[in-house]
Amino acid sequence: MHFTHDFDYTKLEPTQERVEEYRCLIAEARELINTVTVDMELDDFVALFNKAYFLYRNYYYCVAETLGRLMVEFSAIQGDLSKLYSEFIGELFQNETLAKVFKRLSESDDYVHKRVAHFFKGNFQTKGLLLDPADRERVTQLWTEVAQHSSTFQHNVKLFNQRKHYVTHDELKGVAASDIESVLKSDDEGTYILLSPVIIANILKQIENREVRRRIYIEYVNKPDDNEEVMAEILRKRETIAEMLSLPHIAEVYNVMNKAIPLDEVKAVCDEGARILKEDVVPGRMAELEEYAGHGIEPWDLGFYLERMEKERFDFDPEAINEYLTLENAFTYMQHVLKDMFDMEMKEVPFPTAWYEDMYKFEFKQAGKISGYVIFDPWFREGKNTTGFCECLTTCYEGAHCVYFVSCAIVPTPEKFVKMRNVQTLLHEFGHCINGLCAPNDLPEMAQSIMSDFNTIDWDVVEVASQFLEELIPCADMGPFFKNSKGECIPEDLLNVMIEKKNFKVFSRYAYLMANALFDLEIHTSPAEEVISAGIHTMFQSSYEEMYGIKPPVENRFAASFNHIWGDCYVAGYYGYFISDVMQAAIWADFDKELYSKYFLEKCAYYCPLDALKAITGKVDLSPVALFKQKGLIS
């Protein structure tokens, strides 16, 4: 049976009528699931479950979920849709018959069976199926409460990012005129900038007045108290779930649920990475910065002096490349990359929508067949989620083709020029779509819905494709695709400087990533009350100091805005960015397009990631040495 909707993007605002329609779809999905038998043919089960999946992951829910990340207010209707969805998911994970059929799927050698089984990897165990009925109900309730707390946390972060910091033109001395024009706003009280990550990160590295930098930094990291009790309750409830499941700590719950690599192996890789950074990389780079600055480095100095040193060392003016960096040029380059690496065609298609202006829609094809679509919302708006993200609107079908939603928060210049890091983010987020778009397009229609969902990919390696594409910015091949309004390509000498300085500041990125990863692991492998007693912010500050060798201010309360680990994706798994980067470096060093496409893209959930790595490189080596060499951090 062929499932489609007349998908009208101009009429997608959540309404109470949609809630009732969705309630009916959930009821229909429940009826389908109730017909499952333990010994039914696996292909028949996949077709049935695919239809149920299409119903309960209906676009009413998917779109409401996405719009909730694009808008300030999380409406009651969005909450109603999420509640219906969560309750039904809880029922699935308590279904003993489903668990037995999924076990049969996981033991099959058929690719479709294996990937569909991977969709619920570990969830029957972590949602309490093995417990007695009363404890099952308690675990289900705890998971629901954790999800509610996470939604509250994320809503508060949006409000944090809309705080205003009043500042004068004179205090912004050193900031590029185009950036000032883009971010400086005014109201009855004066001129201000929003304390939003995408704005502050760019502004702080340009402001010449050190005291102004300090003031803005302190106010930015000193998050309000709104999430204090929310974080504590999330930890307590996650720990109770672990105890009820007889697992040693929270991290093991999430490892069972959606990770591929055992925690002890992960910890060993992270420890080695941290050791190399602390002993061989960061101290030398920080000493160099201090010598250049003529004084000790504080957190609000780091970006500023790195930027200034880079300009002087490479005789580089960041404004010189602006005229070549437009979204349209980035799209043209991405078309080239996808065609060259994956024999995939990408073209823009019309997109009538009532969501927001300046959105794009792209159609993707392989071997002449449509693989799917990507909707792209590139620009920063007040209240929008400020980190790039990709959502799989799996059941937003047009024909039988999945639709992905990619969002960035680019602060453009008045001329709509972007930064090189924006182009990197663009490729990174589109990389998340690649696993679905590269899935074999001759798959049986019975499995199309599920096969395109990110949940069929282990979350500790889900970043591999994205970080692989990031390596292509900047590189020599991009020159012909980035032209100014006169049709002139980026001058070769300018592009060479961009390539030469590519990794100049990267040590700070890895120190920051590792500080976050170690903090995440520590709070999720330690008893909750010990973490709360020691102070969540104190533990975060300690991780930062350990990696950078500089003490953050006591006002640093960044943990209260750390969406990744207080949500439900990267919990006890923020290290996934580092593990994925280690893997992409190993693949990059011995790149084989056909093997990479087969093992990490087309059939990413069929093969264990470590087996896939061995198939491509001939060995399983998760040492971070190759990554740090790739980035020029060690020789």
Side-chain angles (χ1 to χ4, degrees):
M1 185 176 179
H2 194 62
F3 310 114
T4 63
H5 281 292
D6 293 327
F7 197 64
D8 187 349
Y9 295 93
T10 65
K11 300 177 180 177
L12 289 176
E13 294 294 338
T15 64
Q16 192 60 47
E17 181 183 2
R18 291 247 160 88
V19 173
E20 297 310 312
E21 290 173 353
Y22 184 54
R23 195 187 306 276
C24 294
L25 295 176
I26 289 287
E28 188 177 345
R30 186 177 289 115
E31 289 179 9
L32 282 173
I33 295 299
N34 288 339
T35 67
V36 174
T37 60
V38 172
D39 57 354
M40 70 187 303
E41 290 293 325
L42 292 182
D43 281 352
D44 292 341
F45 171 76
V46 169
L48 181 151
F49 188 77
N50 189 68
K51 183 177 180 181
Y53 174 88
F54 187 83
L55 293 166
Y56 78 78
R57 282 286 295 179
N58 182 273
Y59 67 68
Y60 297 146
Y61 168 73
C62 291
V63 169
E65 186 178 43
T66 299
L67 285 175
R69 300 179 73 172
L70 299 181
M71 299 185 295
V72 179
E73 293 299 330
F74 187 81
S75 72
I77 288 171
Q78 289 166 324
D80 291 343
L81 290 167
S82 293
K83 187 172 185 292
L84 287 169
Y85 174 80
S86 298
E87 288 173 349
F88 181 73
I89 287 291
E91 292 176 26
L92 295 183
F93 294 144
Q94 303 296 334
N95 189 311
E96 294 183 28
T97 302
L98 270 187
K100 291 174 182 177
V101 179
F102 269 96
K103 187 174 187 298
R104 289 176 57 208
L105 283 174
S106 68
E107 294 168 348
S108 169
D109 287 331
D110 181 83
Y111 167 59
V112 173
H113 296 168
K114 206 82 165 181
R115 186 157 178 175
V116 173
H118 204 86
F119 180 72
F120 277 160
K121 176 186 176 181
N123 274 294
F124 290 105
Q125 178 182 348
T126 57
K127 299 304 188 294
L129 179 62
L130 304 181
L131 302 175
D132 62 51
D135 284 345
R136 284 190 206 177
E137 185 176 343
R138 174 62 178 147
V139 167
T140 299
Q141 179 62 28
L142 285 166
W143 280 114
T144 301
E145 291 172 5
V146 167
Q148 291 169 342
H149 286 312
S150 295
S151 294
T152 300
F153 181 94
Q154 293 172 53
H155 175 67
N156 288 339
V157 171
K158 285 188 177 185
L159 299 180
F160 296 168
N161 293 340
Q162 293 175 79
R163 293 176 297 152
K164 299 175 181 179
H165 182 86
Y166 288 90
V167 63
T168 67
H169 275 84
D170 288 345
E171 289 176 320
L172 294 179
K173 182 180 179 183
V175 179
S178 57
D179 287 332
I180 291 177
E181 189 171 352
S182 298
V183 304
L184 193 62
K185 310 296 181 183
S186 63
D187 61 15
D188 292 341
E189 297 182 40
T191 53
Y192 66 89
I193 55 175
L194 291 176
L195 293 173
S196 169
V198 293
I199 291 175
I200 298 303
N202 184 43
I203 293 298
L204 280 181
K205 66 184 182 182
Q206 299 182 66
I207 294 174
E208 294 179 0
N209 187 312
R210 193 180 186 206
E211 174 55 29
V212 174
R213 287 202 308 273
R214 186 200 66 80
R215 190 187 77 212
I216 294 176
Y217 177 88
I218 293 292
E219 188 167 351
Y220 168 64
V221 299
N222 190 10
K223 309 297 182 181
D225 294 336
D226 304 55
N227 277 337
E228 297 304 296
E229 188 56 30
V230 176
M231 293 187 292
E233 282 303 301
I234 288 175
L235 282 180
R236 290 186 181 110
K237 286 180 169 59
R238 285 175 177 169
E239 182 177 70
T240 303
I241 290 170
E243 290 170 351
M244 294 186 71
L245 298 175
S246 299
L247 292 171
H249 43 61
I250 300 168
E252 194 61 48
V253 174
Y254 286 88
N255 193 264
V256 168
M257 187 162 58
N258 57 20
K259 310 293 195 308
I261 305 171
L263 270 175
D264 57 346
E265 293 183 38
V266 165
K267 190 70 165 60
V269 176
C270 290
D271 286 345
E272 184 183 6
R275 180 193 61 78
I276 293 172
L277 287 168
K278 289 188 292 184
E279 294 179 4
D280 303 330
V281 179
V282 176
R285 299 296 174 91
M286 293 300 291
E288 190 178 10
L289 269 181
E290 289 185 356
E291 182 179 358
Y292 176 81
H295 55 71
I297 297 296
E298 300 289 352
W300 47 87
D301 296 324
L302 194 58
F304 175 77
Y305 286 114
L306 278 172
E307 189 82 1
R308 181 156 290 195
M309 276 186 71
E310 181 183 69
K311 289 179 184 178
E312 293 185 10
R313 180 165 298 184
F314 297 98
D315 190 22
F316 172 69
D317 176 11
E319 299 291 301
I321 200 166
N322 278 0
E323 62 178 307
Y324 303 95
L325 298 182
T326 65
L327 273 186
E328 286 67 26
N329 286 343
F331 295 150
T332 301
Y333 178 58
M334 193 154 61
Q335 288 172 326
H336 160 73
V337 168
L338 296 179
K339 182 67 176 175
D340 181 57
M341 295 188 71
F342 312 119
D343 196 27
M344 179 179 289
E345 298 175 8
M346 164 187 166
K347 74 171 184 178
E348 186 177 354
V349 293
F351 182 49
T353 177
W355 287 10
Y356 297 101
E357 295 181 357
D358 296 330
M359 294 177 72
Y360 300 82
K361 181 180 176 185
F362 298 97
E363 175 189 87
F364 293 80
K365 286 185 177 180
Q366 276 189 310
K369 296 182 180 179
I370 296 176
S371 302
Y373 297 90
V374 173
I375 298 169
F376 181 43
D377 179 23
W379 306 113
F380 172 80
R381 290 185 302 276
E382 293 186 27
K384 179 181 177 182
N385 191 309
T386 55
T387 56
F389 69 88
C390 179
E391 296 277 12
C392 182
L393 305 186
T394 310
T395 54
C396 297
Y397 270 26
E398 304 191 358
H401 309 296
C402 60
V403 179
Y404 296 91
F405 185 91
V406 170
S407 173
C408 295
I410 300 171
V411 181
T413 66
E415 302 87 355
K416 286 295 178 82
F417 295 142
V418 299
K419 310 284 186 183
M420 189 66 76
R421 66 177 179 277
N422 299 142
V423 182
Q424 285 180 316
T425 301
L426 173 65
L427 262 71
H428 179 102
E429 298 304 334
F430 269 74
H432 286 304
C433 307
I434 294 299
N435 288 106
L437 295 172
C438 283
N441 57 14
D442 60 351
L443 289 172
E445 187 175 299
M446 66 177 183
Q448 285 285 0
S449 290
I450 306 170
M451 302 295 276
S452 58
D453 196 294
F454 294 146
N455 288 307
T456 61
I457 305 170
D458 292 298
W459 275 93
D460 44 1
V461 296
V462 74
E463 302 289 341
V464 171
S466 296
Q467 289 169 321
F468 193 87
L469 288 182
E470 272 193 55
E471 280 303 303
L472 301 173
I473 296 291
C475 70
D477 288 349
M478 66 180 281
F481 302 97
F482 287 83
K483 301 178 181 180
N484 62 17
S485 59
K486 301 175 184 177
E488 301 165 337
C489 298
I490 300 177
E492 186 176 351
D493 58 345
L494 180 56
L495 183 56
N496 288 339
V497 170
M498 295 296 297
I499 295 170
E500 186 182 359
K501 77 177 191 66
K502 177 178 180 177
N503 292 321
F504 179 73
K505 296 182 286 190
V506 78
F507 87 91
S508 182
R509 167 188 167 187
Y510 283 103
Y512 185 72
L513 189 158
M514 194 57 67
N516 290 341
L518 295 176
F519 164 73
D520 175 32
L521 278 175
E522 185 175 9
I523 66 171
H524 287 118
T525 54
S526 303
E529 291 304 330
E530 286 186 14
V531 172
I532 295 165
S533 177
I536 294 172
H537 298 300
T538 300
M539 293 177 70
F540 177 80
Q541 292 163 13
S542 296
S543 294
Y544 184 99
E545 184 175 4
E546 178 184 354
M547 292 309 306
Y548 278 103
I550 55 177
K551 192 173 182 63
V554 294
E555 296 93 342
N556 189 327
R557 299 158 62 84
F558 173 78
S561 62
F562 200 169
N563 266 328
H564 279 72
I565 65 170
W566 301 110
D568 59 359
C569 291
Y570 285 94
V571 182
Y574 193 80
Y575 61 76
Y577 282 97
F578 187 64
I579 297 294
S580 293
D581 226 357
V582 167
M583 284 194 170
Q584 73 77 17
I587 295 168
W588 188 274
D590 193 22
F591 183 59
D592 183 300
K593 179 167 70 174
E594 283 71 28
L595 290 178
Y596 174 65
S597 293
K598 176 181 179 180
Y599 288 101
F600 259 101
L601 300 181
E602 294 175 12
K603 298 190 175 182
C604 59
Y606 183 79
Y607 300 100
C608 165
L610 298 183
D611 292 340
L613 186 64
K614 184 174 182 179
I616 296 171
T617 66
K619 58 184 178 181
V620 177
D621 182 5
L622 290 180
S623 168
V625 170
L627 170 64
F628 290 154
K629 286 182 177 179
Q630 180 194 57
K631 303 299 183 181
L633 295 176
I634 59 177
S635 59

